Amino acid sequence: MKDNPLVLVVDDECGDRFIIREALEQSGFDVVEAESGPEAMEAFDRLCPDLVLLDVFMPGMDGFEVCHRLREQPEGRLVPIVIITGTEDFEAIRTAYEAGATDFITKPINWLILTERIRYMLRANETARMLRRSRTLLQSAFDGISDPLYMMDSNLRVQVLNKASTVYFECSFSEAVGRACHEAFFSKRKICEDCQILDRDGGRNQRWTFERQGRMDPNKLEQVDVYTMQPFEEGTDGGMIVHIRDITKTKHLERELIQADKLASLGTLVSGVAHEINNPMGVITMNVPMLRDIWEQATGPVAEAYEQKPDFRVFNLEYPELQERISSLFAQVMDSTRRIKKIVGELKDFARQGTSDMNQRVDLNQSVETAISLTFNKIKRSTDRFSVSYAQSPIFVRGNAQKLEQVLINVLLNACEALQNNDQTLALRLETILPETARVVVEDEGCGMARDQLGQIMDPFFTTKRDQGGTGLGLSVSLGIIEDHGGSIEFEAEPGAGTVCTISLPLDASGQEDGSAG
């Protein structure tokens, strides 16, 4: 409170104003006078007094109207206003309070009571001003935080919340403050059954943190930090501050880093395994042709022995059948060795950490062939009706071959897992939409999906296979890869009617041969 608070005395009687002035100045107040309502309004605007002492009965604009008008001004909403009324004039007292008066005093005035009341009201007004300032600072601090942040007492009643919380919970300040969080935020009469904010053990931790699925958006992940506070009042439990952070992107990046680390480790492992496989494969590849040549040289004597002894048998086989069978076996062994070599090479290329160069000229025919080769066993176990339609000529796009193969593998695996029996078809085709677009279309006759799921399948961590170990990241990562290539992924599906996945990519502008599907 100021050393010499300024009091505006409003009274049309000059003698009354003089007496009031003398009493107040002797008690340490500064006084300014006004003899009418308009003059009081002008003086208030000019001087901003700390308190207004207002007589009721004045000609023209009476004290009630002056009080009412002062309360309508921003500067006058919180200034103490004391109304002077007649003895036991209850109607005037009621009207004074309705007009916005802080207090009243009756005539004849007891000067000691008046000065003490004024001091009390000024102290109370100063305390209220400091409280308002503290609350404003607290609210500003809360609003300065971009994440949802709110404070509750021990009964879970919301005391303060920031703007981010009103957006997050889709509520207003007035709807939330003073109400329990389950009522204000979720319109529930009881505490949420899955509430993790409360300390279930009954103790009071200084701080605890947990992660959860988004309360307002289930496709997000959140980290919730709960901080306990000192009691608001003596004899009560303390409250708590709750801070909610969206960690969806962070977790997404963490899992991508883990995946990248796994791929790097896989590359190291595959390189070692490939080396161990290639050594014996080299021996097989080198010796089988030699064995074949030896057999071809031996066929002459064997044929002569058969002519001389028609009942000549090897493994109970006559010579013509033996010759055909051994030639077929040699051909199968050579074909298998070539296939093993090709698979090992493709697996090494895919798992290698490699380069993130996005300016490679990639032949989609080759990328599809590699993806099918790496998923062939899964496709073979999932369906007896798999078909692929390559383009008649190379279809070139700009990007990263390894990343595109990663997308194709993911889409093919998802299609395989959607198939419910081996009679359902899985088809892949490549096509061009000249002059600018290449498309890979993967179509299955599997279980399909509902419309609401179709709108969420690209969201991070959304999966219908969580009980089978699904993370919900495959299609989200694939979408990011295709968008990095300037393309798009689209899905069409109906429950029980299968799914069509269309990957569209811009053709390489440096030149393109006719790539119509064949």
Side-chain angles (χ1 to χ4, degrees), residues 21 45 50 93-94 155 171 240 250 262 274 294 302 337 340 376 426 434 447 457:
R21 183 186 192 108
D45 291 339
D50 299 300
I93 293 172
R94 183 183 63 80
N155 295 316
C171 67
M240 63 187 75
T250 302
K262 287 182 178 178
I294 293 173
V302 174
T337 56
I340 291 172
F376 184 75
L426 172 59
L434 296 176
C447 59
I457 56 175

Side-chain angles (χ1 to χ4, degrees), residues 141-320:
F142 269 49
D143 287 341
I145 297 174
S146 58
D147 298 321
L149 184 73
Y150 58 96
M151 181 172 67
M152 301 186 295
D153 63 16
S154 57
N155 295 316
L156 302 183
R157 288 190 298 264
V158 178
Q159 302 298 308
V160 183
L161 73 164
N162 65 355
K163 291 180 180 178
S165 294
T166 63
V167 174
Y168 176 84
F169 290 112
E170 299 180 351
C171 67
S172 65
F173 289 96
S174 58
E175 291 172 339
V177 173
R179 300 176 64 195
C181 59
H182 48 274
E183 295 177 354
F185 300 148
F186 306 110
S187 300
K188 293 184 178 181
R189 300 182 62 182
K190 296 182 179 180
I191 296 174
C192 303
E193 294 181 358
D194 57 347
C195 179
Q196 296 173 274
I197 291 178
L198 291 176
D199 182 3
R200 295 292 186 179
D201 296 331
R204 283 295 172 182
N205 302 321
Q206 292 299 312
R207 173 181 180 268
W208 67 95
T209 299
F210 58 89
E211 294 178 4
R212 69 183 185 189
Q213 189 177 26
R215 292 302 299 267
M216 307 306 289
D217 185 350
N219 295 319
K220 293 185 176 181
L221 285 178
E222 298 173 340
Q223 177 176 308
V224 181
D225 298 301
V226 183
Y227 304 86
T228 58
M229 300 169 56
Q230 294 298 320
F232 295 139
E233 299 176 3
E234 187 175 350
T236 64
D237 293 331
M240 63 187 75
I241 294 176
V242 181
H243 180 206
I244 303 172
R245 290 193 295 130
D246 183 353
I247 58 172
T248 306
K249 291 183 179 179
T250 302
K251 286 294 182 181
H252 193 178
L253 291 173
E254 286 179 1
R255 297 195 183 191
E256 282 190 331
L257 288 173
I258 293 173
Q259 181 71 6
D261 185 62
K262 287 182 178 178
L263 286 175
S265 300
L266 180 62
T268 303
L269 176 63
V270 167
S271 295
V273 171
H275 178 72
E276 296 300 322
I277 292 176
N278 282 336
N279 286 337
M281 281 302 302
V283 174
I284 294 172
T285 303
M286 180 176 63
N287 290 337
V288 167
M290 185 182 301
L291 289 173
R292 183 180 57 196
D293 293 342
I294 293 173
W295 164 249
E296 289 176 352
Q297 293 179 17
T299 54
V302 174
E304 292 177 0
Y306 178 74
E307 290 176 357
Q308 296 173 3
K309 190 177 181 182
D311 61 347
F312 176 76
R313 299 283 191 277
V314 176
F315 288 109
N316 203 31
L317 295 175
E318 294 182 357
Y319 170 70

Side-chain angles (χ1 to χ4, degrees), residues 17 30 74 77 80 111 123 126 141 143 185 195-196 239 340 353 361 404 410 448 490 502:
R17 293 200 307 272
D30 290 335
R77 288 188 305 108
W111 302 110
R123 286 196 299 270
E126 178 65 13
D143 287 341
F185 300 148
C195 179
Q196 296 173 274
I340 291 172
Q353 184 74 9
R361 195 163 188 251
L404 290 175
N410 185 63
E490 296 178 353
T502 303

Side-chain angles (χ1 to χ4, degrees), residues 429 439 441-444 448-450 454 457 489-495 497-502:
R429 69 179 185 273
R439 294 202 311 190
V441 182
V442 179
E443 185 172 0
D444 67 72
M449 66 187 77
L454 192 62
I457 56 175
I489 303 182
E490 296 178 353
F491 285 86
E492 300 175 19
E494 291 290 340
T499 303
V500 178
C501 172
T502 303

